[in-house]
Structure formats: structure tokens, C-alpha cells
Amino acid sequence: MKLFIFHTPELTPTDKVPECAIAVDVLRATTTMATVLAAGGEAVQVFSDLDQLLAVSEKWSSEKRLRAGERGGSKVPGFDLGNSPLDCTPEVVQGRRLFISTTNGTRALQRIQDAKAVLAAAFVNRAAVVQYLLEKQPETVWIVGSGWEGSFSLEDTACAGAIAHSVVQQTKLSQDELAGNDEVISAIALYSQWQDNLLQLLHLASHGKRLLRLNCDEDLKYCSQTDILDVLPIQQEQGVLVSKK
């Protein structure tokens, strides 16, 4: 197994696809997706375009759908939800499909949707993602951070490092054997430094600061928790993720 970490979707190679690709958007899209599926949501369908989301979701009855839209950290007017995982309680999401479009996370998923296996990862479900990698042993794995509008984001790279760090710990592979690019080594180092204080790291991150200005303190607390959800969002068909049974 070779891991490759890309800080943003734009940095991924355009002439190849990996056996397994993992999208990471800690603040907050992939955290929200994992939370929805853990709470009994039927599926999560991702869109980069809001108008396309509205058109596709219109075919579903209002009892069976939820529309989540976020731009710049704020809820899109007229949508049921923004991008806060705290709103995705079983009472709200049980048995319903979440149609979601966010500033960054949904773009990352669309960029990697042609991979043989596509997963969504965050700190909250890191262990489930690692377990999948250990069981399936894919030859090439891309971990793709969502970043912020094309630029590096601290929290996504730290989460990618958390995944790589755990794979190293649970296999006999050294960092050198596992790393397909230098970003893997740097991401492991970043996570290793902050693993005992991830909330502080999120407070230092530019998007974390953006969310704090929007009074999303509790979201940051939730998103900084590691291995609290035993759920693996996996692509069933292009753009549609379900919980792996």
C-alpha cells in the first residue's frame, strides 16, 4: 500500500486515478456526512452546484429528503440545513437522503469520484477509515484535503496525517515504505504534534477562525473529536455515499 496526500483537489494528478480515494473536509462537510449516516440517514448525495442540487432533489418527496447548502461557512437561504453536524440528529435525518453542497468538501468528492473506492473521512470516523484500508489493502490510496477555495487547510492535512499515522502504527510498514509523496511525512508530523490538542489546532486554522466568527464554537469541539463514530461513508454510485455495512 502506498499513501499519497494532496492538500487540495486541484493538486491531484489529472492523468490517473487511485484504487482508493479518501476525501477529507474536517470543517465540516465530511464530518457532517459521517454524522448523518451514523444517525440513520439513507444516503448523502453531493453537488458542487446549488441549482443542480435543487433540480435533482425535487424528484424526492419532502419527507424523504433534506437539502443542505453552505457557502462561506453560512447556511444558504431556503435550504433545510447548513453544514453543521450538530443539526444532523436522528430525529432530523433518520431514513432521509441528504442532498448537500458546500464550499469545499463536495468539490473534493467530485474530483475523486472515478476512483475504484471513494470514502469520506474526518477525525470523527478516522478509525473506521483505517480499518477499511487495513482490510482491503488497496495498492494506491489518495487522501485529498478539501482546503479552502483552492488553498491549504491545516485541519484537513492534520486529519490526513492522523489516518497515515494510524496505518503506520497498525502495520509493519515504516513511514518511508508507506509514503508515496513527501506530504505524507509532513502530515504525520503535523498530526503527531497536535494529536493531544486538536481543538487548539482547529482554533488556529484559518477556517476554524472563520467559523468562530460565525459563533460555531460547538461545531469545532465536535469536529475535533477522534474515532467517535463507527461509520464509513463509501460511494455507492457517482456522487452518492452510503454507510458501509
Side-chain angles (χ1 to χ4, degrees):
M1 185 180 356
K2 279 287 186 185
L3 292 188
F4 298 80
I5 291 174
F6 300 98
H7 299 312
T8 68
E10 292 79 9
L11 292 172
T12 57
T14 55
D15 59 344
K16 63 183 80 168
V17 291
E19 192 173 344
C20 176
I22 304 168
V24 178
D25 187 4
V26 171
L27 296 175
R28 295 163 288 171
T30 53
T31 303
T32 296
M33 292 171 193
T35 302
V36 166
L37 294 174
E42 179 262 335
V44 175
Q45 191 161 350
V46 302
F47 299 84
S48 53
D49 182 77
L50 290 168
D51 290 333
Q52 187 186 15
L53 183 158
L54 290 169
V56 172
S57 63
E58 193 60 38
K59 299 168 187 171
W60 290 64
S61 72
S62 56
E63 294 82 30
K64 289 292 183 182
R65 72 171 184 230
L66 283 168
R67 291 165 168 162
E70 172 265 322
R71 289 295 182 269
S74 298
K75 177 175 172 283
V76 175
F79 279 63
D80 302 307
L81 300 168
N83 191 20
S84 173
L86 299 180
D87 293 336
C88 302
T89 61
E91 294 76 20
V92 173
V93 306
Q94 184 87 40
R96 303 171 90 174
R97 176 168 294 206
L98 185 77
F99 296 85
I100 185 170
S101 179
T102 71
T103 308
N104 304 294
T106 49
R107 286 189 309 108
L109 277 162
Q110 291 198 317
R111 171 64 193 90
I112 61 174
Q113 65 185 8
D114 292 328
K116 185 177 175 183
V118 176
L119 315 175
F123 285 120
V124 292
N125 71 325
R126 188 268 307 258
V129 172
V130 171
Q131 187 61 36
Y132 176 90
L133 296 178
L134 297 178
E135 286 178 6
K136 301 295 184 182
Q137 291 288 319
E139 194 171 324
T140 54
V141 181
W142 291 3
I143 308 176
V144 182
S146 297
W148 176 262
E149 297 182 343
S151 62
F152 175 90
S153 83
L154 202 56
E155 68 280 0
D156 291 346
T157 299
C159 183
I163 295 167
H165 180 268
S166 186
V167 172
V168 168
Q169 281 195 321
Q170 296 187 59
T171 65
K172 294 178 181 177
L173 295 172
S174 67
Q175 288 190 32
D176 185 44
E177 291 170 312
L178 187 69
N181 60 3
D182 287 356
E183 287 88 336
V184 175
I185 306 299
S186 64
I188 291 173
L190 177 66
Y191 171 70
S192 297
Q193 180 177 345
W194 290 96
Q195 61 182 310
D196 297 324
N197 202 355
L198 291 173
L199 180 57
Q200 180 62 26
L201 179 72
L202 299 194
H203 278 250
L204 290 173
S206 57
H207 191 37
K209 292 176 181 177
R210 193 176 291 111
L211 291 172
L212 288 172
R213 289 193 293 271
L214 293 169
N215 299 314
C216 295
D217 312 49
E218 294 303 314
D219 275 21
L220 265 64
K221 290 178 186 175
Y222 180 81
C223 294
S224 69
Q225 298 177 94
T226 306
D227 305 337
I228 61 167
L229 299 178
D230 185 19
V231 64
L232 183 70
I234 188 166
Q235 184 171 264
Q236 182 181 52
E237 57 188 89
Q238 281 204 347
V240 179
L241 292 101
V242 298
S243 176
K244 183 178 183 295
K245 302 302 182 189

